[in-house]
Amino acid sequence: MSQLQARFFTENKRYAVDDVPFSIPAASEVQDLSHVINTLLQAKNESHKQVEFDFLVRGQFLRTSLSSHMETEGISTEEVVEIEYVERIAAPEPEECMMHDDWISSVDADTEWILTGSYDKTARIWSTEGKAVMTVAGHKDVVKDVAWVKRDGLTSLLLTASLDQTVLLWEWNSERNKVKARHCCRGHTGSVDTIATDPTGSKFCSGSWDKMLKIWSAVPTEEADEVEEPPDRPRKKQKTEQLGLTRTPLMTLSGHSEAVSSVLWCDSEEVCSASWDHTIRIWDTESGTMKTTLTGSKVFNCISYSPLCRRLASGSTDRHIRLWDPRTKDGSLVLLSLTSHTGWVTAVKWAPSHEHQLVSGSLDNLVKLWDTRSCKAPLYDLAAHEDKVFCVDWTESGLMLSGGADNKLYTYRYSACQTDAGA
Amino acid sequence: GGGGGGGGRGEEGGEEDLSDSEDSVFSGLEDSGSDSEEEEEEEGGGGGGGREEFCEVLCAVQDIRNTVGNVPMEWYRDFPHLGYDLDGRKIYKPIRSQDELDHFLDKMENPDYWRTVHDKQTGSDITLSEEQVALVRRLQSGRFGDVDFNEYQPTVEYFSRDVMLHPVTNRPADKRSFIPSLIEKEKVSKLVHAIKMGWIKPRRVEDDSRGRYYDLWASEDSSILARHKMHLPAPKIPLPGHQESYNPPPEFLFNEEERALWEQQDAADRKLPFVPRKFSSLRSVPAFPRFVHERFERCLDLYLCPRQRKMRVNVDPEDLIPKLPKPRDLQPFPTTQSLVYRGHSGLIRSISVSPTGQWLASGSDDGSVRFWEVCSSRCLKTVQVGGAVRSVTWNPNTAVCLLAVALDSRVLLLSPSLADRQVVSASELLLSDKEGAEPVQGAESLVTWSEAEGEELNEGIRLKIQHPKAVHQVAWHAKGDYLASVMPDHSSHLQVLIHQVSRRRSQNPFRRNKGLVQRVSFHPLRPYFFVATQRSVRIYNLLKQEMTKKLQANAKWISSMAVHPGGDHVICGSYDCRLSWFDLDLSTKPYRMLRHHKKAVRGVAYHRFYPLFASASDDGSVIVCHGTVYNDLLQNPLIVPVKVLRGHAVSQDLGVLDVTFHPSQPWVFSSGADATIRLYT
């Protein structure tokens, strides 16, 4: 078997070739096939420039020689092989490195601003060019998670969750560069490890070490909620501590038997939470009931949901990234396992505009860019960090961010995302 | 002969053997008869063979007349001759050239025309004789050429499938077999007469009841009898074989190789004690030179042979290895190092995980206690306590957040305020409640309770309990109010103190202490108190104030002890590399001794609900074992080491100093002399 019959096709009209079977050497690898396509395109169009392509055989990226790939995948070599080709995803280019004073626990970026939470009890706002804009200080302990809520012109709402068991809702005016604590969300009895704002920006959910999920209103008001205070509590102490108006949760979701490590909104009425009790639970925020439980075998550190492919990605302490279908009723079926990390996977994030790509960070100091069509090996290893990676993010403008215990927040420009998204 | 046989059968008709032999005799006769028939047949066959020979001779004679051989005669069509005779002369064709008319005339006139055949070889006509014609006719009609041959001979069935009463002969029995024999009658009457006359006396029956034979061992003790039943006969001398013969078959004689081998071998290893030799006659065999020797050895054999039945069991050694389950089936257990907690500058003697599993406290020789966030290996708090910390223990009560720290001769109670406000305030309340309510009334004022002030207060230190001697270990009761501290001292009776935190009271529970107390522990559920001394573990009932059990650890020096959260099992590590596993219900001896460590075991720990325990050793490794105890009492507990965890560097001959499990996950923490804490998941 030295020659194979192959038919090439692509979604991208720019690079379409004739729909006829070609006889290609079975031992040919990605470069050879790429060369074949380029030659074909050049024959058709004189002005064609060399483009690196990647090849998919039955939805799996070709990483070895064609014959060995087909052997491992069990594809018959007798018939004409359908090979899809896409433009090679370019490596993310490192852009900025933002130095912090302490470990970075969390990052949330949108198209304009980057918000990071740090172990020095502050959160910081950065521009995407890497300029420090604002330091949000107010927590009495380590900031564990941060989130943007809403942007209204120049005024933004943001959230910081901390080990001091509170979540603070801040209002930030980017023009005057003033930040003001609007509400102090009290109610958790453990460190608040994770927060997530709902798609409309009117509510947010927090997950805590006290095994609870709480849903709060994210709309700033001018009155404080009533709080039942312990009667013996000294009054004056409370006054000095108060930062912003006290707010109480709209709803408390309990059901996890261990700490909640990660929470997110699947849509405006569904909250998904991952916990140290080896489960991922999906909750209905209207009724406050649990809808589905996905049971794993190891502690979940992080989850991410992609509305494009409707998959949950989870990072565990056993170095695997697993993909789940949150709609399944039995709820314990792992669709795919991505294994390449050698430490706990601490952060995972789907690409906002690509249904196959995700980025993950791990305690082994690596950030990896994955394509689910190539589950054996990641597309790229981003080995910038010198210590544990705690958080990653991916903005819609194609910026990837990662922060960790080396006090550095790296950003990477990911250009191929846009062109490939159209494919 | 047949008649005699018949008579014999008549007389001894009951004996089957005889009748069988008769049958065989008869069948033999029949056989011989059939043999003769066969001979006749053979003769007939021989006759047939003769005729065939005659034919062949005829053919030969004919062949001789023409020597051309078996070639087509057409070859000679154009020649005047047909071939050559024996002398080489040509045989000419007959001159006549018979045409159809000649043929017709011949047919009409010659009466023998119908039996005249033309011989192509000689060209002459041959008139067949009567016999030959008959032969041709027979052959034409498909019969045998031989007239005498009977193709329908009757089949002789030598062995018929029909079962016959008298299978061979149908001869009726002799008349005399029904008539009593006169000679026998005469003999019998003679015997009867002799008996009547008393000449023949009936055989005298020996009377054994008098006891000519008796049970020699009847009066013996039953145990001796029982032993006697196990009597073994002396080994028998093997019977002489061909080798011993004076004229053995040549295969028994040694060739050169065998002889060399025999001479090389040790006398005990030889297969034969002698060399087989061949003599021409028995007369020339010399005397056996080793006869006396051999007899003597035989006597030795008889005298010294083991008279005990040896149970020999043929077992595959593989079967003797106990069937251990695969570690994979015993998951979850920690397998890989996940996090390293760095920050201490001295060796870390003790670690403890908070009951919620969020915090890890460690005490080091650099004089600090550090609090770490478990999931990120972040050191959140460092408390300088001013002295090498020997032991740290979290209060197991989740309603309070307290840490007991032992250093030098002090026990400190820290409130690290790493919990909910209510929990923090509850723990503050517990420590400050009895302020001044009860003055310090320590056990004979051996112990001083004092409150921390100033800087120490800010760091979280709340209470200081000053002991008279160096404190090596502190242990909380499961309720979180009582605290035991250990001050190992050979000479004193004051080695263990129990403090009640809420009332700030201390007491010495033991009037006397035997041995050097190493470790103490409270029973997690019942009012028992475990005290590990150098060699043994004593279990005291705190309510009855008495010792209930003493476990012998079979170790020289116990270093560490852990009690199973169910309270039924105890593990002890010792400085002589051993780990003993006790089942308290079963025995005071260790059920299992594990010797997997190469150096002293420093710390042992049980998991709160997974069936796991771990031991830390100076060889730098932590060994995690799976230990399942079944409810079924018949099934032995399953104790299997599942994983060796390495990572700690050995410094100054000290490896891993303490080990502890995460309260909810199957994770194990270990602290070492290399100033790191490692988390294995």
Side-chain angles (χ1 to χ4, degrees):
Chain A
M1 187 195 63
S2 61
Q3 296 280 316
L4 277 174
Q5 293 288 309
R7 182 154 44 215
F8 294 100
F9 67 100
T10 184
E11 302 268 315
N12 197 336
K13 291 285 172 287
R14 269 199 301 158
Y15 300 125
V17 294
D18 296 333
D19 187 20
V20 288
F22 294 96
S23 185
I24 49 167
S28 51
E29 298 197 8
V30 176
Q31 285 83 6
D32 309 321
L33 293 176
S34 188
H35 181 70
V36 168
I37 297 292
N38 275 310
T39 319
L40 285 170
L41 290 170
Q42 241 157 15
K44 236 169 71 171
N45 183 4
E46 288 294 322
S47 62
H48 172 75
K49 276 184 281 180
Q50 286 281 329
V51 180
E52 287 290 309
F53 290 105
D54 244 334
F55 295 86
L56 290 142
V57 181
R58 296 226 184 139
Q60 283 291 314
F61 269 110
L62 188 64
R63 284 290 173 263
T64 55
S65 73
L66 192 56
S67 57
S68 65
H69 178 86
M70 288 171 72
E71 199 174 325
T72 51
E73 296 287 321
I75 304 170
S76 164
T77 55
E78 302 290 320
E79 299 154 14
V80 177
V81 192
E82 301 278 339
I83 301 178
E84 184 179 3
Y85 57 97
V86 292
E87 202 175 336
R88 162 77 54 93
I89 298 151
E93 292 163 19
E95 278 213 328
E96 304 290 339
C97 171
M98 302 166 208
M99 282 301 295
H100 287 63
D101 295 340
D102 210 336
W103 294 9
I104 300 161
S105 63
S106 52
V107 62
D108 189 26
D110 57 17
T111 47
E112 288 172 76
W113 306 105
I114 301 166
L115 177 63
T116 59
S118 168
Y119 273 78
D120 61 1
K121 306 178 187 177
T122 64
R124 283 153 202 267
I125 302 170
W126 307 75
S127 70
T128 49
E129 289 81 37
K131 200 158 76 71
V133 178
M134 186 71 210
T135 302
V136 183
H139 278 294
K140 293 188 288 297
D141 216 327
V142 170
V143 175
K144 297 293 294 244
D145 202 2
V146 291
W148 290 107
V149 179
K150 207 180 234 182
R151 176 146 314 129
D152 219 3
L154 296 170
T155 314
S156 306
L157 285 175
L158 56 104
L159 285 165
T160 55
S162 164
L163 206 107
D164 64 9
Q165 305 170 5
T166 60
V167 180
L168 287 177
L169 176 66
W170 307 81
E171 193 177 66
W172 175 58
N173 191 307
S174 54
E175 191 186 29
R176 283 179 289 161
N177 202 11
K178 280 274 167 58
V179 70
K180 186 185 170 202
R182 290 300 298 268
H183 286 283
C184 177
C185 306
R186 294 173 185 277
H188 278 299
T189 57
S191 75
V192 187
D193 290 339
T194 172
I195 44 174
T197 41
D198 83 328
T200 62
S202 60
K203 280 185 285 188
F204 70 92
C205 179
S206 63
S208 162
W209 189 270
D210 64 5
K211 308 164 192 175
M212 300 291 178
L213 289 164
K214 285 181 197 287
I215 295 174
W216 317 71
S217 166
V219 182
T221 53
E222 291 306 323
E223 20 185 282
D225 291 339
E226 287 295 316
V227 186
E228 304 138 33
E229 292 292 338
D232 57 338
R233 197 177 159 76
R235 284 278 158 190
K236 62 175 172 57
K237 208 174 177 184
Q238 185 203 355
K239 288 291 173 227
T240 53
E241 278 177 359
Q242 193 67 31
L243 187 67
L245 299 164
T246 303
R247 172 158 286 184
T248 50
L250 300 174
M251 189 184 284
T252 300
L253 308 172
S254 69
H256 279 297
S257 57
E258 289 289 333
V260 179
S261 59
S262 185
V263 67
L264 57 84
W265 293 79
C266 296
D267 54 42
S268 56
E269 265 122 43
E270 250 181 29
V271 165
C272 181
S273 64
S275 163
W276 279 38
D277 64 0
H278 309 180
T279 60
I280 296 173
R281 291 173 200 242
I282 297 166
W283 311 80
D284 189 349
T285 57
E286 292 293 306
S287 60
T289 51
M290 191 172 67
K291 285 166 85 175
T292 320
T293 304
L294 308 169
T295 309
S297 62
K298 292 287 187 311
V299 166
F300 288 112
N301 281 324
C302 50
I303 46 171
S304 177
Y305 178 73
S306 168
L308 294 172
C309 67
R310 296 168 176 279
R311 294 279 183 274
L312 269 177
S314 72
S316 307
T317 57
D318 61 348
R319 76 201 162 76
H320 297 294
I321 299 162
R322 293 192 174 84
L323 301 189
W324 310 78
D325 188 353
R327 314 277 153 193
T328 50
K329 284 281 166 270
D330 54 341
S332 52
L333 190 69
V334 179
L335 298 168
L336 200 60
S337 242
L338 306 175
T339 309
S340 172
H341 281 297
T342 54
W344 290 10
V345 181
T346 49
V348 63
K349 189 83 179 173
W350 281 98
S353 54
H354 195 293
E355 59 174 325
H356 291 302
Q357 287 172 2
L358 66 146
V359 66
S360 67
S362 161
L363 292 187
D364 60 4
N365 308 357
L366 287 179
V367 177
K368 290 183 191 245
L369 174 63
W370 295 88
D371 194 300
T372 54
R373 296 169 291 184
S374 161
C375 56
K376 301 275 193 307
L379 290 181
Y380 291 104
D381 283 2
L382 311 176
H385 285 284
E386 291 146 13
D387 208 342
K388 299 176 277 287
V389 179
F390 285 133
C391 51
V392 293
D393 200 8
W394 195 331
T395 69
E396 283 172 27
S397 55
L399 197 68
M400 284 171 8
L401 306 102
S402 67
D406 56 355
N407 305 354
K408 289 170 186 159
L409 181 80
Y410 286 97
T411 62
Y412 315 89
R413 178 62 58 182
Y414 184 59
S415 52
C417 177
Q418 294 300 319
T419 58
D420 201 40
Chain B
R9 197 161 82 169
E11 286 163 11
E12 309 169 27
E15 291 187 30
E16 299 259 326
D17 294 349
L18 249 177
S19 65
D20 281 353
S21 70
E22 265 180 298
D23 281 352
S24 65
V25 167
F26 279 126
S27 63
L29 275 176
E30 194 72 17
D31 281 347
S32 69
S34 65
D35 281 350
S36 65
E37 270 176 35
E38 274 171 17
E39 272 167 19
E40 277 171 357
E41 270 180 21
E42 274 170 26
E43 273 169 23
R51 271 193 289 279
E52 278 167 22
E53 256 176 33
F54 176 66
C55 281
E56 278 170 16
V57 167
L58 259 181
C59 293
V61 167
Q62 276 177 343
D63 281 343
I64 287 162
R65 270 191 272 168
N66 190 349
T67 57
V68 292
N70 189 17
V71 296
M73 280 299 147
E74 286 87 64
W75 293 357
Y76 290 93
R77 201 168 46 204
D78 301 333
F79 295 97
H81 60 281
L82 277 166
Y84 307 93
D85 64 4
L86 278 174
D87 300 327
R89 284 177 305 233
K90 285 177 181 170
I91 302 172
Y92 289 98
K93 288 178 186 171
I95 304 152
R96 58 138 195 209
S97 54
Q98 279 187 325
D99 53 5
E100 288 298 311
L101 193 61
D102 288 331
H103 273 292
F104 179 72
L105 289 177
D106 208 12
K107 197 174 174 181
M108 288 292 109
E109 289 167 4
N110 192 354
D112 291 334
Y113 174 80
W114 61 274
R115 56 178 183 190
T116 305
V117 290
H118 180 70
D119 186 358
K120 277 184 183 171
Q121 286 246 304
T122 55
S124 59
D125 291 339
I126 296 164
T127 305
L128 298 178
S129 65
E130 288 289 338
E131 284 138 25
Q132 284 167 329
V133 169
L135 179 65
V136 169
R137 286 240 171 90
R138 275 202 304 280
L139 289 176
Q140 276 178 332
S141 64
R143 283 178 288 160
F144 286 91
D146 186 2
V147 191
D148 301 331
F149 183 71
N150 181 11
E151 56 200 286
Y152 299 113
Q153 278 180 350
T155 330
V156 181
E157 287 187 358
Y158 299 106
F159 303 103
S160 149
R161 68 174 185 281
D162 301 326
V163 180
M164 288 181 282
L165 187 59
H166 300 292
V168 179
T169 173
N170 206 14
R171 190 173 58 191
D174 285 320
K175 184 184 177 185
R176 63 173 174 269
S177 62
F178 301 103
I179 301 168
S181 164
L182 283 176
I183 300 162
E184 283 175 3
K185 189 183 173 188
E186 201 174 326
K187 271 189 177 171
V188 169
S189 63
K190 265 184 184 172
L191 288 171
V192 169
H193 179 68
I195 291 167
K196 275 183 182 169
M197 298 304 289
W199 299 331
I200 296 175
K201 283 179 182 154
R203 193 181 289 129
R204 197 175 60 203
V205 179
E206 293 278 342
D207 188 14
D208 281 346
S209 59
R210 272 190 297 123
R212 197 149 61 86
Y213 305 113
Y214 59 97
D215 186 0
L216 182 63
W217 314 105
S219 59
E220 282 290 340
D221 189 26
S222 63
S223 67
I224 296 171
L225 259 183
R227 205 172 62 203
H228 197 69
K229 271 179 197 158
M230 293 297 284
H231 167 76
L232 280 181
K236 275 181 183 154
I237 299 181
L239 291 174
H242 288 295
Q243 295 101 324
E244 275 94 341
S245 167
Y246 78 97
N247 186 16
E251 62 263 31
F252 292 101
L253 291 171
F254 281 175
N255 57 23
E256 287 303 316
E257 279 177 33
E258 287 169 333
R259 192 179 188 89
L261 182 71
W262 188 87
E263 275 163 6
Q264 262 183 11
Q265 273 178 330
D266 190 49
D269 296 338
R270 286 171 181 164
K271 214 180 258 179
L272 282 179
F274 60 93
V275 184
R277 288 167 70 191
K278 191 183 179 85
F279 298 98
S280 56
S281 63
L282 193 57
R283 196 175 57 223
S284 56
V285 176
F288 184 37
R290 284 175 46 83
F291 178 72
V292 175
H293 193 136
E294 202 188 68
R295 288 296 96 192
F296 175 72
E297 284 194 338
R298 170 70 184 159
C299 291
L300 273 187
D301 275 356
L302 293 177
Y303 169 54
L304 292 172
C305 88
R307 299 293 165 88
Q308 200 176 21
R309 204 174 291 274
K310 213 170 203 173
M311 297 304 283
R312 192 141 188 200
V313 190
N314 274 329
V315 193
D316 189 12
E318 292 291 313
D319 297 343
L320 292 178
I321 300 170
K323 290 276 172 289
L324 288 182
K326 288 203 181 91
R328 204 176 49 227
D329 303 334
L330 302 175
Q331 278 181 339
F333 56 83
T335 51
T336 49
Q337 179 184 309
S338 294
L339 281 170
V340 184
Y341 303 77
R342 295 177 202 277
H344 277 296
S345 57
L347 50 93
I348 303 163
R349 286 201 190 272
S350 178
I351 49 174
S352 178
V353 188
S354 73
T356 58
Q358 195 179 7
W359 311 108
L360 174 71
S362 63
S364 162
D365 270 10
D366 61 6
S368 64
V369 173
R370 279 174 188 260
F371 296 92
W372 312 81
E373 192 183 28
V374 164
C375 62
S376 64
S377 78
R378 167 83 182 189
C379 177
L380 282 168
K381 205 173 225 182
T382 308
V383 179
Q384 293 294 337
V385 290
V389 181
R390 298 300 301 252
S391 173
V392 291
T393 320
W394 280 93
N395 191 322
N397 188 356
T398 48
V400 293
C401 176
L402 284 176
L403 186 79
V405 178
L407 72 152
D408 300 337
S409 59
R410 281 176 293 163
V411 171
L412 305 181
L413 290 179
L414 269 68
S415 171
S417 61
L418 285 169
D420 185 38
R421 282 171 312 177
Q422 289 182 359
V423 173
V424 171
S425 59
S427 44
E428 298 281 347
L429 202 68
L430 178 71
L431 294 182
S432 61
D433 194 18
K434 298 292 176 255
E435 194 175 344
E438 238 171 295
V440 178
Q441 58 150 121
E444 293 86 48
S445 69
L446 285 165
V447 176
T448 329
W449 291 68
S450 61
E451 295 208 9
E453 287 162 358
E455 188 60 34
E456 289 180 332
L457 197 65
N458 288 345
E459 282 196 319
I461 301 172
R462 292 290 179 270
L463 278 179
K464 291 194 273 190
I465 310 169
Q466 183 71 39
H467 286 65
K469 281 170 289 193
V471 182
H472 277 219
Q473 193 218 345
V474 280
W476 285 97
H477 183 255
K479 292 260 170 56
D481 195 16
Y482 289 93
L483 179 70
S485 58
V486 182
M487 298 166 285
D489 187 357
H490 262 302
S491 54
S492 167
H493 295 319
L494 184 68
Q495 295 195 66
V496 180
L497 282 175
I498 295 182
H499 314 282
Q500 190 179 6
V501 174
S502 59
R503 301 176 68 187
R504 294 198 186 177
R505 277 203 324 201
S506 303
Q507 54 176 333
N508 178 12
F510 302 114
R511 234 170 285 131
R512 284 183 293 135
N513 276 119
K514 290 194 186 101
L516 194 64
V517 176
Q518 297 295 314
R519 293 274 158 163
V520 294
S521 177
F522 287 96
H523 192 286
L525 305 171
R526 287 197 287 273
Y528 290 113
F529 191 58
F530 296 80
V531 178
T533 54
Q534 269 184 36
R535 297 287 187 92
S536 59
V537 178
R538 291 187 174 83
I539 304 169
Y540 295 94
N541 189 329
L542 293 175
L543 286 183
K544 293 181 184 167
Q545 304 204 335
E546 62 183 21
M547 190 174 85
T548 46
K549 211 170 263 185
K550 185 180 173 188
L551 307 176
Q552 293 293 344
N554 287 355
K556 293 213 176 65
W557 196 315
I558 291 173
S559 65
S560 48
M561 173 179 64
V563 183
H564 187 265
D568 297 332
H569 317 292
V570 174
I571 45 174
C572 282
S574 73
Y575 288 115
D576 51 352
C577 322
R578 295 176 201 208
L579 180 71
S580 1
W581 191 94
F582 294 96
D583 191 326
L584 294 188
D585 301 333
L586 207 65
S587 150
T588 58
K589 293 273 181 337
Y591 174 77
R592 185 71 67 83
M593 299 287 289
L594 302 171
R595 291 185 197 82
H596 300 299
H597 283 294
K598 299 203 174 49
K599 286 186 178 171
V601 177
R602 288 275 174 180
V604 290
Y606 262 113
H607 196 279
R608 211 165 71 179
F609 51 87
Y610 284 107
L612 295 173
F613 58 91
S615 57
S617 161
D618 271 347
D619 59 8
S621 68
V622 174
I623 293 182
V624 181
C625 298
H626 179 96
T628 311
V629 181
Y630 299 97
N631 285 333
D632 179 9
L633 290 174
L634 293 176
Q635 203 165 2
N636 286 333
L638 177 74
I639 297 171
V640 190
V642 287
K643 188 71 189 173
V644 182
L645 301 167
R646 296 180 199 282
H648 282 288
V650 179
S651 66
Q652 296 161 10
D653 282 343
L654 291 174
V656 190
L657 295 175
D658 198 7
V659 66
T660 184
F661 276 99
H662 191 273
S664 59
Q665 304 294 340
W667 300 348
V668 68
F669 297 90
S670 65
S671 71
D674 56 353
T676 61
I677 304 163
R678 284 162 203 266
L679 166 63
Y680 301 93
T681 61

